[in-house]
Amino acid sequence: MNQNNQAPDGMEAPFFWVFNDCGQQVKCDILVTFDVEYEGRNVHVVVYTDNAATPEGDLKIYAAQYPDGVFLPNMKAPELEDLPDALWDAVQEVLDRVLPQKTDE
């Protein structure tokens, strides 16, 4: 992805499909994946968005862990697990590095 978080012309951002609370299939764009050590094991983390906005107009961003051997792009309904609370600091650190920050200028 380039600086404005859009895939380059002619390329589609990696994505996967999930089912929302209403049972509808929703396309989720992958923002970043990374591995982090947690409790003596390697945890695979995906940070993604369904391109929906919060009431304040901010992009909704989610994170989850996924099992070994999973290739997320273009996958239908991957098995995602809740991310332990202790790993959210790692998610924020990675997001701070890869996503440009808003400025009020």
Side-chain angles (χ1 to χ4, degrees), residues 15-92:
F15 65 91
F16 60 88
W17 297 90
V18 297
F19 290 97
N20 66 15
D21 294 337
C22 300
Q24 298 171 319
Q25 205 169 34
V26 177
K27 182 180 174 185
C28 293
D29 292 329
I30 297 172
L31 301 174
V32 66
T33 61
F34 64 95
D35 292 343
V36 63
E37 185 155 329
Y38 176 68
E39 294 185 344
R41 65 184 181 94
N42 201 30
V43 175
H44 307 295
V45 178
V46 59
V47 182
Y48 61 98
T49 181
D50 59 5
N51 293 297
T54 66
E56 296 80 24
D58 295 323
L59 185 67
K60 288 185 179 181
I61 295 177
Y62 310 93
Q65 59 181 321
Y66 61 95
D68 286 338
V70 170
F71 181 69
L72 290 172
N74 308 330
M75 186 176 217
K76 298 223 187 247
E79 292 185 33
L80 300 178
E81 299 175 26
D82 290 339
L83 201 62
D85 290 339
L87 295 182
W88 281 97
D89 286 342
V91 169
Q92 188 60 55

